[in-house]
Amino acid sequence: RNSQGSHSSGAMPFLGRGLLAWRAREADMWRPDEVPQTLPSRKTRQAPLILAVGAAAVAAVCSWGLEGDAFVNGIVGRPAGNVVIVEELPRGLTCRNAHIQFTPHAHPRNSAEWDAAEPAKVLDYGSDEREEWNPLPQWRGEKTYHPSKELQGDQYRQWYHFDAEGKTLGHLAQAIALTLRGKNSPLYDPIRDVGAYAIVTNCDRVRVSGKKYHYKLYLRNLSRKPGHMKVERFKDLLKRFPERIIMRAVWGMLPKTKSSKRIFKERLKLFQGPNHLYYNKDPVEYPMHTIKDCTATSNIRHRDRSMVMMTSRKKRQGVIDAWQKRNDERKQLTAYKRFLEDQLKQADGDDVKDLTVQDFSRAADKTRMRKKLDETRGMEIPKKKVKVFWKTYIPVKKYSGNKGGRKLSEVEPRPGSPEVLGRSQPGTLPGKP
């Protein structure tokens, strides 16, 4: 009792049913001879509410069947428990157990054409209008192949030989970088290493285009201190350390990661000259014809190259020449018309009214030439002024490398003259008239 009494004097439980039960237990402890009072159960207290709700539901179903909105003839029968047989389903009800397909409504609910009493269209399982389930669109493809860890071992890597003789530096470095990373391999994976070894020979015969041979600079500062920067030109580095040129170019093509640093140090083999030290690996000759050669055309501007001029500039020049020709013809025609008008004003109308245009033009030309001859009769022929150097009076000769020859001045003897032929002229000697 002391323990029970101490328990009863503890903290009071929550209000509600717990409080009532606590008071009943306390009364039982102090009056054990009396009969305990039992409280009504939850189901007993909810029974009147359930009966009221059931009566209301029966009344609603009976009134719904009499109105005939959803059910045509009311409740016909209940052959399978709670299943109700009707001819038209009410809008909003869905039978989850039916193996049929309902077509969507033709009009949205908020449109004027919406008809709430429209019966649902039921398609049988074998109907042609029913859309059959096609498993092909659900196919996600085969699992992507990933090379195993064993396949990434060095014993399975291929060795490639690159000959750098006459190749452009940038294109060669790009091909080497792709080979080291394995991007040309069918087993390439971004997060796996399936690259190959690269052996590069003739590093001293690599070429660059334009003026890079003289002006391309290489900077290095190994001590990382101010004032310790070393600058070297391409042509000087090519003589001293040609492997470093390709080394720097390939490293510039690789991503700056730890794996790329390891690949660069372990797999790139550079040699000066045609020989190397890895003939025992049986390296495969890389298709060097796919790498661009550095030719004389590479040193010319793109628009000045022969193929570009033959394709693009030739067409453009043809359009320009055609426009110039039309412009010159228009000017000549205008000048010719003006000339005919002037001659027509000067001529007598009776003499030219019976002539055709061709005859009148011919007569006008003769008149113009006769007039010019009379004006210039007895005058000296003007000589072309020759440019000479100051005080020396040596004629200036013009040379043109684009036209394949030089222009001869008026002072120089023409080809075929007696001064040039010499003994070929009868009765003359060299240096004498």
Side-chain angles (χ1 to χ4, degrees):
R1 285 184 181 274
N2 293 335
S3 61
Q4 292 177 357
S6 61
H7 176 72
S8 63
S9 62
M12 182 177 294
F14 294 100
L15 300 177
R17 294 187 59 209
L19 179 61
L20 296 177
W22 175 73
R23 287 182 177 179
R25 287 196 302 269
E26 187 178 12
D28 186 24
M29 285 189 294
W30 291 103
R31 294 184 297 271
D33 297 334
E34 298 180 1
V35 179
Q37 299 178 0
T38 58
L39 298 176
S41 63
R42 185 175 182 179
K43 293 183 179 180
T44 305
R45 287 184 285 109
Q46 290 181 354
L49 180 61
I50 295 175
L51 294 177
V53 172
V58 172
V61 170
C62 295
S63 61
W64 191 9
L66 294 176
E67 291 177 2
D69 293 334
F71 303 100
V72 179
N73 296 324
I75 301 177
V76 181
R78 302 179 184 271
N82 296 331
V83 178
V84 180
I85 301 175
V86 295
E87 294 184 0
E88 294 183 0
L89 289 177
R91 180 65 60 182
L93 297 182
T94 305
C95 183
R96 297 177 179 270
N97 299 327
H99 298 281
I100 56 178
Q101 181 179 359
F102 295 93
T103 58
H105 202 279
H107 307 285
R109 185 180 295 272
N110 55 359
S111 64
E113 293 80 3
W114 169 263
D115 186 9
E118 181 180 356
K121 184 178 180 181
V122 181
L123 300 177
D124 298 335
Y125 181 76
S127 176
D128 297 337
E129 301 180 13
R130 180 184 176 88
E131 183 179 0
E132 296 185 2
W133 178 72
N134 188 6
L136 293 180
Q138 305 297 328
W139 184 64
R140 297 295 186 268
E142 298 291 343
K143 183 179 179 181
T144 304
Y145 173 77
H146 300 286
S148 61
K149 192 172 183 179
E150 180 183 2
L151 191 60
Q152 301 177 38
D154 292 343
Q155 66 273 17
Y156 297 108
R157 300 189 189 280
Q158 183 60 268
W159 291 69
Y160 287 96
H161 173 236
F162 292 83
D163 187 4
E165 182 177 3
K167 299 299 178 180
T168 306
L169 177 61
H171 293 267
L172 176 65
Q174 186 178 17
I176 296 174
L178 294 179
T179 303
L180 292 176
R181 297 178 60 189
K183 299 207 72 172
N184 298 332
S185 174
L187 303 178
Y188 173 74
D189 197 303
I191 60 175
R192 289 168 177 82
D193 186 10
V194 292
Y197 287 86
I199 304 171
V200 186
T201 58
N202 292 323
C203 293
D204 54 336
R205 295 179 177 271
V206 70
R207 297 291 178 261
V208 289
S209 60
K211 300 179 181 180
K212 300 186 188 71
Y213 180 82
H214 300 280
Y215 296 105
K216 185 176 176 62
L217 302 179
Y218 288 89
L219 312 178
R220 68 180 186 276
N221 187 359
L222 302 181
S223 62
R224 298 180 181 274
K225 296 180 180 180
H228 288 236
M229 181 71 69
K230 305 296 181 182
V231 183
E232 199 168 3
R233 292 185 178 183
F234 177 88
K235 60 180 181 180
D236 300 332
L237 187 60
L238 188 65
K239 296 177 183 179
R240 187 181 67 85
F241 195 174
E243 293 88 349
R244 179 170 292 177
I245 295 176
I246 300 180
M247 190 186 307
R248 295 280 296 270
V250 173
W251 176 247
M253 299 289 181
L254 292 174
K256 307 306 179 285
T257 58
K258 292 183 178 180
S259 60
S260 298
K261 187 175 182 180
R262 174 184 56 81
I263 291 171
F264 177 77
K265 294 175 64 176
E266 295 179 357
R267 301 185 200 162
L268 182 60
K269 314 297 180 181
L270 302 174
F271 296 94
Q272 180 180 358
N275 299 322
H276 57 86
L277 302 178
Y278 298 96
Y279 289 101
N280 58 331
K281 301 298 182 178
D282 295 332
V284 178
E285 294 293 334
Y286 190 87
M288 300 303 297
H289 65 277
T290 59
I291 303 177
K292 184 179 179 181
D293 295 329
C294 186
T295 59
T297 309
S298 304
N299 301 325
I300 307 175
R301 293 185 302 179
H302 183 267
R303 63 181 183 180
D304 294 338
R305 296 176 184 177
S306 58
M307 293 301 298
V308 177
M309 294 179 63
M310 292 174 60
T311 54
S312 61
R313 294 191 62 184
K314 185 178 180 181
K315 182 179 180 180
R316 180 172 177 269
Q317 190 64 31
V319 175
I320 295 175
D321 295 343
W323 175 84
Q324 189 68 30
K325 184 178 179 180
R326 292 195 301 269
N327 193 22
D328 295 343
E329 291 178 354
R330 180 178 56 81
K331 292 181 179 179
Q332 292 178 3
L333 182 60
T334 303
Y336 184 68
K337 289 181 179 179
R338 189 180 300 110
F339 167 72
L340 293 180
E341 290 177 359
D342 297 340
Q343 295 295 329
L344 185 60
K345 292 178 182 179
Q346 296 176 7
D348 190 3
D350 298 335
D351 297 339
V352 298
K353 65 179 182 179
D354 296 334
L355 296 178
T356 60
V357 177
Q358 291 79 6
D359 296 339
F360 177 74
S361 176
R362 194 177 299 110
D365 289 338
K366 290 181 179 180
T367 305
R368 179 181 59 83
M369 289 186 290
R370 190 180 300 108
K371 181 180 179 180
K372 190 68 175 178
L373 181 61
D374 296 339
E375 292 177 356
T376 59
R377 190 182 302 274
M379 297 176 59
E380 295 183 0
I381 300 176
K383 294 182 179 180
K384 185 177 180 181
K385 187 176 181 181
V386 181
K387 295 180 63 177
V388 295
F389 291 100
W390 184 58
K391 287 188 177 181
T392 60
Y393 300 100
I394 300 175
V396 178
K397 300 178 182 179
K398 294 183 180 180
Y399 295 90
S400 179
N402 297 331
K403 296 183 178 180
R406 61 189 181 89
K407 296 181 179 179
L408 300 176
S409 62
E410 297 294 338
V411 178
E412 293 183 352
R414 294 291 180 179
S417 61
E419 292 81 2
V420 177
L421 295 178
R423 292 182 179 269
S424 61
Q425 294 291 337
T428 60
L429 295 176
K432 297 182 180 181

